[in-house]
Amino acid sequence: MSTLLRQRLETLAPQWQQQLHTLLSQHGNTPIADIRIEQVIGGMRGVPALLCETSLVIPTEGLRIRNIPITEIADRTPEAIFWLLCTGELPTAEEHDSLRQALAERATVPEYVWNVLHALPRDAHPMAMLSLGLLAMEQESAFRRAFEEGASRGELWKALLEDCLTLLGRITTLAAGIYRIRFSNADPILPDLGLDWASNFARMLGLPDPTGQFRDLVRLYLVLHSDHEGGNVSALTGYTVASALSDPFYALSAGLNGLAGPLHGLANQECLRFLLQTLEALGPQPSDDVLEQYVWNWITSGHVIPGYGHAVLRVTDPRFTIFRQFAERYHLQHELIALVNQLFQIVPRVLQRHGKAKNPWPNVDAISGSLLYIYGMREFEFYTVMFGVSRALGICAQILVHRILGTPIMRPKSLTLQELEQMARSTVASHT
Ligand code: CMX
């Protein structure tokens, strides 16, 4: 157990609980928004109906983790980010090391999990393998045990933290093992308990990394994808499942199943496929005119441009910019990076001309897969697993904070089309 993280949270928990209590007692009945029917139908887009303390996405700026812009903390380690997500504070060196050690101590994946994965068909999707591998460990849940043994509601978060550390400690070993089993028919590489989380992950993937640049990319990747508010499919799913007091193994596995969708985490796989298809169709260094026509034809034949658009963002995703800066810093001369940069000049104006997408700017997926590809990770199907390892930080932190706050089970009210029609009619009538 990372005693320092738990100790810090034990200090913070009563303050947060008091803050929540005061807000509810003073303003519990205060309305904060009107909801339109199109929002009910449209995936609750923009409805401010969720509590999420870990991060927020400002449409005109991008991600802030605990109110710190991602641009200011992109050079931190995933351990520092997890500490920040959980506590709202950046860790001291001692705190950081205790968390690093706690994760390393838990990095060994039990043999029965590998047996489960080996039993799957050879072409199982790596995301299905990841989700299943995590779920296979559910019987080890400290949270479930604590609940069954009658732990009080106020104490449950401590067992939840224990499970989150187990999940995070193991997920890098599990994901890297999946990479090797699935794509090289090779054995997993054992964790080096002296390394930090990202370095260990990069090492266990087994790709050649003579300069350490791939390790740096993995560290940045894990930081940038760690959290993106509470309303995205994976975070919302994880939270919903955990709100039923299902343990974190169920919650994280469920959240990652949502991440596997092509409109969410799988988009980075689709994005790289689109880039490679474009290069194959047009050859390297197509002219701007040729590329623009190609993109236009792509959209008007009913496809989306992967890596562009966003449900919340209305500017270029700062995480896209940070990855571009990484490519510049390491002087990455590659036709994929050239195409990413050229598309950045062209796609936004094509999407604007097309007139449908509310946000014509690139999101993080417009570049992330290209970087992995250039450093030798050529298996697109694995990219969402990379995303999932990182997003596990945010999902775990979110369900932890909710359990500390003691928020209840999720239960929004659903409505039938007929009820909505009646509500619309009576609202119109009351205004005439
Ligand atoms: N290319 C072409 N059309 C696009 C588009 C794109 N990149 N982005 C949005 N549109 C279209 C939508 O398909 C929609 O068309 P219909 O009305 O015919 O259904 C219309 O524009 C309006 O969509 P929106 O309100 O702007 O976007 P949504 O909030 O509904 O969806 C997203 C957001 C990300 C799913 C969408 O922009 C998209 O499909 N982008 C490509 C896939 C992608 O990059 N996903 C990664 C997102 C990041 C993440 O969640 O991890």
PDB file of all heavy atoms in Angstrom, residues 45 232 262-265 267 299 303-312 314 319 351 354 356-359 363-365 387 391, ligand 1:
ATOM      1  N   ARG A  45     -25.433  15.666 -24.763  1.00  0.00           N
ATOM      2  CA  ARG A  45     -24.337  16.587 -25.089  1.00  0.00           C
ATOM      3  C   ARG A  45     -24.520  17.933 -24.391  1.00  0.00           C
ATOM      4  O   ARG A  45     -25.551  18.574 -24.504  1.00  0.00           O
ATOM      5  CB  ARG A  45     -24.290  16.802 -26.605  1.00  0.00           C
ATOM      6  CG  ARG A  45     -22.985  17.357 -27.112  1.00  0.00           C
ATOM      7  CD  ARG A  45     -21.858  16.334 -27.089  1.00  0.00           C
ATOM      8  NE  ARG A  45     -21.830  15.511 -28.280  1.00  0.00           N
ATOM      9  CZ  ARG A  45     -22.362  14.299 -28.371  1.00  0.00           C
ATOM     10  NH1 ARG A  45     -22.936  13.738 -27.331  1.00  0.00           N
ATOM     11  NH2 ARG A  45     -22.309  13.613 -29.485  1.00  0.00           N
ATOM     12  N   ASN A 232     -16.958  11.568 -20.902  1.00  0.00           N
ATOM     13  CA  ASN A 232     -16.627  10.731 -22.060  1.00  0.00           C
ATOM     14  C   ASN A 232     -17.052   9.289 -21.767  1.00  0.00           C
ATOM     15  O   ASN A 232     -17.215   8.897 -20.608  1.00  0.00           O
ATOM     16  CB  ASN A 232     -15.139  10.854 -22.416  1.00  0.00           C
ATOM     17  CG  ASN A 232     -14.248  10.344 -21.314  1.00  0.00           C
ATOM     18  OD1 ASN A 232     -14.094   9.148 -21.141  1.00  0.00           O
ATOM     19  ND2 ASN A 232     -13.703  11.253 -20.518  1.00  0.00           N
ATOM     20  N   PRO A 262     -15.004   2.911 -32.030  1.00  0.00           N
ATOM     21  CA  PRO A 262     -14.316   3.712 -33.053  1.00  0.00           C
ATOM     22  C   PRO A 262     -14.564   5.210 -32.956  1.00  0.00           C
ATOM     23  O   PRO A 262     -13.784   5.986 -33.507  1.00  0.00           O
ATOM     24  CB  PRO A 262     -14.850   3.152 -34.378  1.00  0.00           C
ATOM     25  CG  PRO A 262     -16.039   2.338 -34.037  1.00  0.00           C
ATOM     26  CD  PRO A 262     -15.932   1.924 -32.608  1.00  0.00           C
ATOM     27  N   LEU A 263     -15.611   5.624 -32.264  1.00  0.00           N
ATOM     28  CA  LEU A 263     -15.797   7.069 -32.096  1.00  0.00           C
ATOM     29  C   LEU A 263     -15.052   7.583 -30.873  1.00  0.00           C
ATOM     30  O   LEU A 263     -15.026   8.779 -30.606  1.00  0.00           O
ATOM     31  CB  LEU A 263     -17.285   7.409 -31.976  1.00  0.00           C
ATOM     32  CG  LEU A 263     -18.135   7.106 -33.199  1.00  0.00           C
ATOM     33  CD1 LEU A 263     -19.546   7.641 -33.017  1.00  0.00           C
ATOM     34  CD2 LEU A 263     -17.519   7.681 -34.474  1.00  0.00           C
ATOM     35  N   HIS A 264     -14.472   6.691 -30.109  1.00  0.00           N
ATOM     36  CA  HIS A 264     -13.771   7.106 -28.879  1.00  0.00           C
ATOM     37  C   HIS A 264     -12.316   6.644 -29.002  1.00  0.00           C
ATOM     38  O   HIS A 264     -11.593   7.130 -29.872  1.00  0.00           O
ATOM     39  CB  HIS A 264     -14.530   6.506 -27.685  1.00  0.00           C
ATOM     40  CG  HIS A 264     -14.117   6.996 -26.345  1.00  0.00           C
ATOM     41  ND1 HIS A 264     -13.361   8.121 -26.145  1.00  0.00           N
ATOM     42  CD2 HIS A 264     -14.366   6.489 -25.091  1.00  0.00           C
ATOM     43  CE1 HIS A 264     -13.156   8.280 -24.851  1.00  0.00           C
ATOM     44  NE2 HIS A 264     -13.752   7.305 -24.185  1.00  0.00           N
ATOM     45  N   GLY A 265     -11.892   5.702 -28.211  1.00  0.00           N
ATOM     46  CA  GLY A 265     -10.470   5.356 -28.183  1.00  0.00           C
ATOM     47  C   GLY A 265      -9.940   4.661 -29.430  1.00  0.00           C
ATOM     48  O   GLY A 265      -8.760   4.778 -29.756  1.00  0.00           O
ATOM     49  N   ALA A 267     -10.383   5.479 -32.272  1.00  0.00           N
ATOM     50  CA  ALA A 267     -10.161   6.452 -33.359  1.00  0.00           C
ATOM     51  C   ALA A 267      -8.681   6.593 -33.693  1.00  0.00           C
ATOM     52  O   ALA A 267      -8.343   6.895 -34.837  1.00  0.00           O
ATOM     53  CB  ALA A 267     -10.747   7.804 -32.973  1.00  0.00           C
ATOM     54  N   ILE A 299     -14.918  12.738 -47.142  1.00  0.00           N
ATOM     55  CA  ILE A 299     -16.035  13.174 -46.281  1.00  0.00           C
ATOM     56  C   ILE A 299     -17.367  13.039 -47.018  1.00  0.00           C
ATOM     57  O   ILE A 299     -18.343  12.535 -46.458  1.00  0.00           O
ATOM     58  CB  ILE A 299     -15.854  14.652 -45.843  1.00  0.00           C
ATOM     59  CG1 ILE A 299     -14.619  14.792 -44.974  1.00  0.00           C
ATOM     60  CG2 ILE A 299     -17.072  15.151 -45.093  1.00  0.00           C
ATOM     61  CD1 ILE A 299     -14.312  16.207 -44.569  1.00  0.00           C
ATOM     62  N   HIS A 303     -17.702   9.295 -44.929  1.00  0.00           N
ATOM     63  CA  HIS A 303     -16.765   8.934 -43.866  1.00  0.00           C
ATOM     64  C   HIS A 303     -16.463  10.139 -42.982  1.00  0.00           C
ATOM     65  O   HIS A 303     -16.556  11.275 -43.434  1.00  0.00           O
ATOM     66  CB  HIS A 303     -15.431   8.456 -44.457  1.00  0.00           C
ATOM     67  CG  HIS A 303     -15.562   7.274 -45.360  1.00  0.00           C
ATOM     68  ND1 HIS A 303     -15.609   7.370 -46.723  1.00  0.00           N
ATOM     69  CD2 HIS A 303     -15.659   5.955 -45.063  1.00  0.00           C
ATOM     70  CE1 HIS A 303     -15.715   6.158 -47.246  1.00  0.00           C
ATOM     71  NE2 HIS A 303     -15.756   5.290 -46.253  1.00  0.00           N
ATOM     72  N   VAL A 304     -16.043   9.848 -41.748  1.00  0.00           N
ATOM     73  CA  VAL A 304     -15.504  10.934 -40.917  1.00  0.00           C
ATOM     74  C   VAL A 304     -13.986  10.938 -41.078  1.00  0.00           C
ATOM     75  O   VAL A 304     -13.383   9.912 -41.399  1.00  0.00           O
ATOM     76  CB  VAL A 304     -15.853  10.785 -39.416  1.00  0.00           C
ATOM     77  CG1 VAL A 304     -17.338  10.907 -39.194  1.00  0.00           C
ATOM     78  CG2 VAL A 304     -15.306   9.494 -38.828  1.00  0.00           C
ATOM     79  N   ILE A 305     -13.384  12.097 -40.859  1.00  0.00           N
ATOM     80  CA  ILE A 305     -11.924  12.173 -40.851  1.00  0.00           C
ATOM     81  C   ILE A 305     -11.475  11.828 -39.433  1.00  0.00           C
ATOM     82  O   ILE A 305     -11.681  12.619 -38.508  1.00  0.00           O
ATOM     83  CB  ILE A 305     -11.413  13.593 -41.200  1.00  0.00           C
ATOM     84  CG1 ILE A 305     -11.969  14.045 -42.549  1.00  0.00           C
ATOM     85  CG2 ILE A 305      -9.894  13.639 -41.175  1.00  0.00           C
ATOM     86  CD1 ILE A 305     -11.337  13.386 -43.738  1.00  0.00           C
ATOM     87  N   PRO A 306     -10.883  10.672 -39.235  1.00  0.00           N
ATOM     88  CA  PRO A 306     -10.478  10.316 -37.875  1.00  0.00           C
ATOM     89  C   PRO A 306      -9.438  11.313 -37.354  1.00  0.00           C
ATOM     90  O   PRO A 306      -8.570  11.753 -38.109  1.00  0.00           O
ATOM     91  CB  PRO A 306      -9.851   8.921 -38.030  1.00  0.00           C
ATOM     92  CG  PRO A 306     -10.260   8.434 -39.373  1.00  0.00           C
ATOM     93  CD  PRO A 306     -10.492   9.643 -40.214  1.00  0.00           C
ATOM     94  N   GLY A 307      -9.557  11.623 -36.080  1.00  0.00           N
ATOM     95  CA  GLY A 307      -8.583  12.560 -35.495  1.00  0.00           C
ATOM     96  C   GLY A 307      -9.029  14.007 -35.573  1.00  0.00           C
ATOM     97  O   GLY A 307      -8.334  14.890 -35.074  1.00  0.00           O
ATOM     98  N   TYR A 308     -10.176  14.243 -36.180  1.00  0.00           N
ATOM     99  CA  TYR A 308     -10.696  15.618 -36.246  1.00  0.00           C
ATOM    100  C   TYR A 308     -12.088  15.656 -35.645  1.00  0.00           C
ATOM    101  O   TYR A 308     -12.847  14.699 -35.732  1.00  0.00           O
ATOM    102  CB  TYR A 308     -10.715  16.120 -37.704  1.00  0.00           C
ATOM    103  CG  TYR A 308      -9.318  16.537 -38.118  1.00  0.00           C
ATOM    104  CD1 TYR A 308      -8.385  15.567 -38.457  1.00  0.00           C
ATOM    105  CD2 TYR A 308      -8.919  17.867 -38.083  1.00  0.00           C
ATOM    106  CE1 TYR A 308      -7.082  15.922 -38.776  1.00  0.00           C
ATOM    107  CE2 TYR A 308      -7.620  18.230 -38.405  1.00  0.00           C
ATOM    108  CZ  TYR A 308      -6.705  17.252 -38.746  1.00  0.00           C
ATOM    109  OH  TYR A 308      -5.421  17.616 -39.039  1.00  0.00           O
ATOM    110  N   GLY A 309     -12.398  16.778 -35.014  1.00  0.00           N
ATOM    111  CA  GLY A 309     -13.687  16.938 -34.350  1.00  0.00           C
ATOM    112  C   GLY A 309     -13.586  16.528 -32.894  1.00  0.00           C
ATOM    113  O   GLY A 309     -12.648  15.842 -32.474  1.00  0.00           O
ATOM    114  N   HIS A 310     -14.529  16.999 -32.123  1.00  0.00           N
ATOM    115  CA  HIS A 310     -14.594  16.609 -30.715  1.00  0.00           C
ATOM    116  C   HIS A 310     -15.948  16.984 -30.145  1.00  0.00           C
ATOM    117  O   HIS A 310     -16.549  17.971 -30.569  1.00  0.00           O
ATOM    118  CB  HIS A 310     -13.489  17.293 -29.899  1.00  0.00           C
ATOM    119  CG  HIS A 310     -13.209  16.577 -28.623  1.00  0.00           C
ATOM    120  ND1 HIS A 310     -13.890  16.836 -27.466  1.00  0.00           N
ATOM    121  CD2 HIS A 310     -12.353  15.572 -28.345  1.00  0.00           C
ATOM    122  CE1 HIS A 310     -13.449  16.030 -26.519  1.00  0.00           C
ATOM    123  NE2 HIS A 310     -12.520  15.250 -27.022  1.00  0.00           N
ATOM    124  N   ALA A 311     -16.398  16.164 -29.201  1.00  0.00           N
ATOM    125  CA  ALA A 311     -17.705  16.434 -28.603  1.00  0.00           C
ATOM    126  C   ALA A 311     -17.697  17.702 -27.747  1.00  0.00           C
ATOM    127  O   ALA A 311     -18.720  18.365 -27.601  1.00  0.00           O
ATOM    128  CB  ALA A 311     -18.138  15.236 -27.763  1.00  0.00           C
ATOM    129  N   VAL A 312     -16.553  18.054 -27.178  1.00  0.00           N
ATOM    130  CA  VAL A 312     -16.482  19.206 -26.273  1.00  0.00           C
ATOM    131  C   VAL A 312     -15.548  20.290 -26.812  1.00  0.00           C
ATOM    132  O   VAL A 312     -15.896  21.481 -26.806  1.00  0.00           O
ATOM    133  CB  VAL A 312     -15.999  18.759 -24.871  1.00  0.00           C
ATOM    134  CG1 VAL A 312     -15.872  19.950 -23.933  1.00  0.00           C
ATOM    135  CG2 VAL A 312     -16.932  17.711 -24.284  1.00  0.00           C
ATOM    136  N   ARG A 314     -13.421  22.940 -28.918  1.00  0.00           N
ATOM    137  CA  ARG A 314     -13.716  23.784 -30.076  1.00  0.00           C
ATOM    138  C   ARG A 314     -12.455  24.486 -30.576  1.00  0.00           C
ATOM    139  O   ARG A 314     -12.532  25.494 -31.278  1.00  0.00           O
ATOM    140  CB  ARG A 314     -14.813  24.817 -29.717  1.00  0.00           C
ATOM    141  CG  ARG A 314     -16.165  24.195 -29.424  1.00  0.00           C
ATOM    142  CD  ARG A 314     -16.752  23.468 -30.640  1.00  0.00           C
ATOM    143  NE  ARG A 314     -17.997  22.751 -30.361  1.00  0.00           N
ATOM    144  CZ  ARG A 314     -18.102  21.434 -30.169  1.00  0.00           C
ATOM    145  NH1 ARG A 314     -17.031  20.653 -30.206  1.00  0.00           N
ATOM    146  NH2 ARG A 314     -19.263  20.859 -29.965  1.00  0.00           N
ATOM    147  N   ARG A 319      -3.132  18.643 -26.658  1.00  0.00           N
ATOM    148  CA  ARG A 319      -2.361  17.390 -26.630  1.00  0.00           C
ATOM    149  C   ARG A 319      -1.820  17.067 -28.027  1.00  0.00           C
ATOM    150  O   ARG A 319      -0.734  16.513 -28.169  1.00  0.00           O
ATOM    151  CB  ARG A 319      -3.244  16.246 -26.098  1.00  0.00           C
ATOM    152  CG  ARG A 319      -3.758  16.513 -24.677  1.00  0.00           C
ATOM    153  CD  ARG A 319      -4.785  15.490 -24.248  1.00  0.00           C
ATOM    154  NE  ARG A 319      -5.925  15.470 -25.150  1.00  0.00           N
ATOM    155  CZ  ARG A 319      -6.848  14.528 -25.175  1.00  0.00           C
ATOM    156  NH1 ARG A 319      -6.782  13.516 -24.331  1.00  0.00           N
ATOM    157  NH2 ARG A 319      -7.851  14.591 -26.022  1.00  0.00           N
ATOM    158  N   LEU A 351     -13.504  20.726 -43.429  1.00  0.00           N
ATOM    159  CA  LEU A 351     -14.630  20.453 -42.526  1.00  0.00           C
ATOM    160  C   LEU A 351     -15.517  21.689 -42.383  1.00  0.00           C
ATOM    161  O   LEU A 351     -16.747  21.574 -42.304  1.00  0.00           O
ATOM    162  CB  LEU A 351     -14.113  20.000 -41.147  1.00  0.00           C
ATOM    163  CG  LEU A 351     -13.631  18.546 -41.059  1.00  0.00           C
ATOM    164  CD1 LEU A 351     -13.004  18.262 -39.698  1.00  0.00           C
ATOM    165  CD2 LEU A 351     -14.770  17.555 -41.309  1.00  0.00           C
ATOM    166  N   HIS A 354     -17.575  21.856 -45.442  1.00  0.00           N
ATOM    167  CA  HIS A 354     -18.592  20.799 -45.397  1.00  0.00           C
ATOM    168  C   HIS A 354     -19.745  21.202 -44.478  1.00  0.00           C
ATOM    169  O   HIS A 354     -20.917  20.903 -44.741  1.00  0.00           O
ATOM    170  CB  HIS A 354     -17.933  19.504 -44.908  1.00  0.00           C
ATOM    171  CG  HIS A 354     -18.798  18.308 -45.001  1.00  0.00           C
ATOM    172  ND1 HIS A 354     -19.132  17.564 -43.910  1.00  0.00           N
ATOM    173  CD2 HIS A 354     -19.411  17.714 -46.063  1.00  0.00           C
ATOM    174  CE1 HIS A 354     -19.913  16.561 -44.288  1.00  0.00           C
ATOM    175  NE2 HIS A 354     -20.089  16.631 -45.584  1.00  0.00           N
ATOM    176  N   LYS A 356     -20.675  20.488 -41.300  1.00  0.00           N
ATOM    177  CA  LYS A 356     -21.391  19.673 -40.312  1.00  0.00           C
ATOM    178  C   LYS A 356     -20.679  19.632 -38.957  1.00  0.00           C
ATOM    179  O   LYS A 356     -21.294  19.862 -37.923  1.00  0.00           O
ATOM    180  CB  LYS A 356     -21.521  18.241 -40.829  1.00  0.00           C
ATOM    181  CG  LYS A 356     -22.805  17.956 -41.582  1.00  0.00           C
ATOM    182  CD  LYS A 356     -22.864  16.464 -41.833  1.00  0.00           C
ATOM    183  CE  LYS A 356     -24.198  16.021 -42.359  1.00  0.00           C
ATOM    184  NZ  LYS A 356     -24.176  14.560 -42.552  1.00  0.00           N
ATOM    185  N   ALA A 357     -19.402  19.299 -38.975  1.00  0.00           N
ATOM    186  CA  ALA A 357     -18.670  19.122 -37.713  1.00  0.00           C
ATOM    187  C   ALA A 357     -18.651  20.437 -36.930  1.00  0.00           C
ATOM    188  O   ALA A 357     -18.301  21.482 -37.474  1.00  0.00           O
ATOM    189  CB  ALA A 357     -17.251  18.636 -37.988  1.00  0.00           C
ATOM    190  N   LYS A 358     -18.994  20.352 -35.645  1.00  0.00           N
ATOM    191  CA  LYS A 358     -18.987  21.582 -34.832  1.00  0.00           C
ATOM    192  C   LYS A 358     -17.566  22.018 -34.527  1.00  0.00           C
ATOM    193  O   LYS A 358     -17.310  23.182 -34.247  1.00  0.00           O
ATOM    194  CB  LYS A 358     -19.764  21.344 -33.541  1.00  0.00           C
ATOM    195  CG  LYS A 358     -21.235  21.098 -33.805  1.00  0.00           C
ATOM    196  CD  LYS A 358     -22.050  21.139 -32.522  1.00  0.00           C
ATOM    197  CE  LYS A 358     -23.483  20.734 -32.798  1.00  0.00           C
ATOM    198  NZ  LYS A 358     -23.615  19.312 -33.218  1.00  0.00           N
ATOM    199  N   ASN A 359     -16.656  21.054 -34.534  1.00  0.00           N
ATOM    200  CA  ASN A 359     -15.256  21.395 -34.254  1.00  0.00           C
ATOM    201  C   ASN A 359     -14.387  20.865 -35.403  1.00  0.00           C
ATOM    202  O   ASN A 359     -14.225  19.649 -35.537  1.00  0.00           O
ATOM    203  CB  ASN A 359     -14.827  20.751 -32.923  1.00  0.00           C
ATOM    204  CG  ASN A 359     -13.353  20.935 -32.665  1.00  0.00           C
ATOM    205  OD1 ASN A 359     -12.784  21.979 -32.961  1.00  0.00           O
ATOM    206  ND2 ASN A 359     -12.720  19.921 -32.118  1.00  0.00           N
ATOM    207  N   ASN A 363      -7.966  16.491 -32.879  1.00  0.00           N
ATOM    208  CA  ASN A 363      -7.844  16.032 -31.496  1.00  0.00           C
ATOM    209  C   ASN A 363      -6.554  15.220 -31.385  1.00  0.00           C
ATOM    210  O   ASN A 363      -5.822  15.048 -32.365  1.00  0.00           O
ATOM    211  CB  ASN A 363      -9.091  15.241 -31.070  1.00  0.00           C
ATOM    212  CG  ASN A 363      -9.357  14.021 -31.949  1.00  0.00           C
ATOM    213  OD1 ASN A 363      -8.515  13.129 -32.045  1.00  0.00           O
ATOM    214  ND2 ASN A 363     -10.515  13.997 -32.609  1.00  0.00           N
ATOM    215  N   VAL A 364      -6.289  14.699 -30.210  1.00  0.00           N
ATOM    216  CA  VAL A 364      -4.996  14.049 -29.948  1.00  0.00           C
ATOM    217  C   VAL A 364      -4.738  12.869 -30.882  1.00  0.00           C
ATOM    218  O   VAL A 364      -3.596  12.570 -31.249  1.00  0.00           O
ATOM    219  CB  VAL A 364      -4.920  13.627 -28.457  1.00  0.00           C
ATOM    220  CG1 VAL A 364      -5.919  12.525 -28.132  1.00  0.00           C
ATOM    221  CG2 VAL A 364      -3.519  13.221 -28.062  1.00  0.00           C
ATOM    222  N   ASP A 365      -5.816  12.216 -31.331  1.00  0.00           N
ATOM    223  CA  ASP A 365      -5.634  11.014 -32.153  1.00  0.00           C
ATOM    224  C   ASP A 365      -5.088  11.321 -33.542  1.00  0.00           C
ATOM    225  O   ASP A 365      -4.638  10.412 -34.244  1.00  0.00           O
ATOM    226  CB  ASP A 365      -6.964  10.267 -32.288  1.00  0.00           C
ATOM    227  CG  ASP A 365      -7.445   9.722 -30.971  1.00  0.00           C
ATOM    228  OD1 ASP A 365      -6.608   9.533 -30.082  1.00  0.00           O
ATOM    229  OD2 ASP A 365      -8.656   9.509 -30.827  1.00  0.00           O
ATOM    230  N   PHE A 387      -3.802   3.662 -25.142  1.00  0.00           N
ATOM    231  CA  PHE A 387      -4.731   4.678 -24.632  1.00  0.00           C
ATOM    232  C   PHE A 387      -5.363   4.179 -23.324  1.00  0.00           C
ATOM    233  O   PHE A 387      -5.448   4.906 -22.321  1.00  0.00           O
ATOM    234  CB  PHE A 387      -5.785   4.922 -25.724  1.00  0.00           C
ATOM    235  CG  PHE A 387      -6.705   6.090 -25.537  1.00  0.00           C
ATOM    236  CD1 PHE A 387      -7.438   6.569 -26.620  1.00  0.00           C
ATOM    237  CD2 PHE A 387      -6.879   6.724 -24.324  1.00  0.00           C
ATOM    238  CE1 PHE A 387      -8.304   7.642 -26.488  1.00  0.00           C
ATOM    239  CE2 PHE A 387      -7.750   7.794 -24.172  1.00  0.00           C
ATOM    240  CZ  PHE A 387      -8.472   8.245 -25.260  1.00  0.00           C
ATOM    241  N   ARG A 391      -5.588   5.820 -19.741  1.00  0.00           N
ATOM    242  CA  ARG A 391      -6.887   6.254 -19.237  1.00  0.00           C
ATOM    243  C   ARG A 391      -7.272   5.544 -17.942  1.00  0.00           C
ATOM    244  O   ARG A 391      -8.110   6.033 -17.169  1.00  0.00           O
ATOM    245  CB  ARG A 391      -7.945   6.069 -20.333  1.00  0.00           C
ATOM    246  CG  ARG A 391      -9.306   6.663 -20.039  1.00  0.00           C
ATOM    247  CD  ARG A 391      -9.234   8.111 -19.578  1.00  0.00           C
ATOM    248  NE  ARG A 391      -8.700   9.034 -20.554  1.00  0.00           N
ATOM    249  CZ  ARG A 391      -9.397   9.699 -21.460  1.00  0.00           C
ATOM    250  NH1 ARG A 391     -10.695   9.537 -21.521  1.00  0.00           N
ATOM    251  NH2 ARG A 391      -8.808  10.557 -22.278  1.00  0.00           N
TER     252      ARG A 391
HETATM  253  N1  CMX B   1     -15.213  14.205 -40.147  1.00  0.00           N
HETATM  254  C1  CMX B   1     -16.383  14.273 -40.814  1.00  0.00           C
HETATM  255  N2  CMX B   1     -17.547  14.580 -40.226  1.00  0.00           N
HETATM  256  C2  CMX B   1     -17.502  14.856 -38.914  1.00  0.00           C
HETATM  257  C3  CMX B   1     -16.311  14.847 -38.183  1.00  0.00           C
HETATM  258  C4  CMX B   1     -15.133  14.487 -38.850  1.00  0.00           C
HETATM  259  N3  CMX B   1     -13.969  14.387 -38.203  1.00  0.00           N
HETATM  260  N4  CMX B   1     -16.584  15.172 -36.911  1.00  0.00           N
HETATM  261  C5  CMX B   1     -17.910  15.387 -36.841  1.00  0.00           C
HETATM  262  N5  CMX B   1     -18.471  15.175 -38.050  1.00  0.00           N
HETATM  263  C6  CMX B   1     -19.888  15.193 -38.377  1.00  0.00           C
HETATM  264  C7  CMX B   1     -20.569  14.158 -37.494  1.00  0.00           C
HETATM  265  O1  CMX B   1     -20.454  12.837 -38.047  1.00  0.00           O
HETATM  266  C8  CMX B   1     -21.979  14.656 -37.480  1.00  0.00           C
HETATM  267  O2  CMX B   1     -22.607  14.281 -38.700  1.00  0.00           O
HETATM  268  P1  CMX B   1     -24.142  13.783 -38.712  1.00  0.00           P
HETATM  269  O3  CMX B   1     -24.922  14.970 -38.232  1.00  0.00           O
HETATM  270  O4  CMX B   1     -24.381  13.400 -40.117  1.00  0.00           O
HETATM  271  O5  CMX B   1     -24.220  12.626 -37.760  1.00  0.00           O
HETATM  272  C9  CMX B   1     -21.795  16.161 -37.489  1.00  0.00           C
HETATM  273  O6  CMX B   1     -20.469  16.393 -37.981  1.00  0.00           O
HETATM  274  C10 CMX B   1     -21.919  16.810 -36.119  1.00  0.00           C
HETATM  275  O7  CMX B   1     -21.053  16.155 -35.214  1.00  0.00           O
HETATM  276  P2  CMX B   1     -20.431  16.950 -33.967  1.00  0.00           P
HETATM  277  O8  CMX B   1     -21.560  17.421 -33.109  1.00  0.00           O
HETATM  278  O9  CMX B   1     -19.461  17.964 -34.430  1.00  0.00           O
HETATM  279  O10 CMX B   1     -19.579  15.819 -33.259  1.00  0.00           O
HETATM  280  P3  CMX B   1     -20.067  14.781 -32.168  1.00  0.00           P
HETATM  281  O11 CMX B   1     -19.977  15.436 -30.835  1.00  0.00           O
HETATM  282  O12 CMX B   1     -21.363  14.143 -32.526  1.00  0.00           O
HETATM  283  O13 CMX B   1     -18.953  13.657 -32.303  1.00  0.00           O
HETATM  284  C11 CMX B   1     -16.738  12.899 -32.608  1.00  0.00           C
HETATM  285  C12 CMX B   1     -17.633  13.911 -31.891  1.00  0.00           C
HETATM  286  C13 CMX B   1     -15.358  12.954 -31.992  1.00  0.00           C
HETATM  287  C14 CMX B   1     -17.301  11.485 -32.381  1.00  0.00           C
HETATM  288  C15 CMX B   1     -16.711  13.248 -34.115  1.00  0.00           C
HETATM  289  O14 CMX B   1     -16.125  14.527 -34.278  1.00  0.00           O
HETATM  290  C16 CMX B   1     -15.942  12.220 -34.933  1.00  0.00           C
HETATM  291  O15 CMX B   1     -16.535  11.212 -35.340  1.00  0.00           O
HETATM  292  N6  CMX B   1     -14.616  12.454 -35.172  1.00  0.00           N
HETATM  293  C17 CMX B   1     -13.789  11.494 -35.849  1.00  0.00           C
HETATM  294  C18 CMX B   1     -13.425  10.369 -34.886  1.00  0.00           C
HETATM  295  C19 CMX B   1     -12.452  10.866 -33.810  1.00  0.00           C
HETATM  296  O16 CMX B   1     -11.511  11.561 -34.084  1.00  0.00           O
HETATM  297  N7  CMX B   1     -12.706  10.436 -32.557  1.00  0.00           N
HETATM  298  C20 CMX B   1     -11.783  10.722 -31.437  1.00  0.00           C
HETATM  299  C21 CMX B   1     -12.380  11.668 -30.431  1.00  0.00           C
HETATM  300  C22 CMX B   1     -11.501  11.807 -29.241  1.00  0.00           C
HETATM  301  C23 CMX B   1     -11.902  10.839 -28.141  1.00  0.00           C
HETATM  302  O17 CMX B   1     -13.094  10.779 -27.756  1.00  0.00           O
HETATM  303  O18 CMX B   1     -11.069  10.136 -27.647  1.00  0.00           O
END
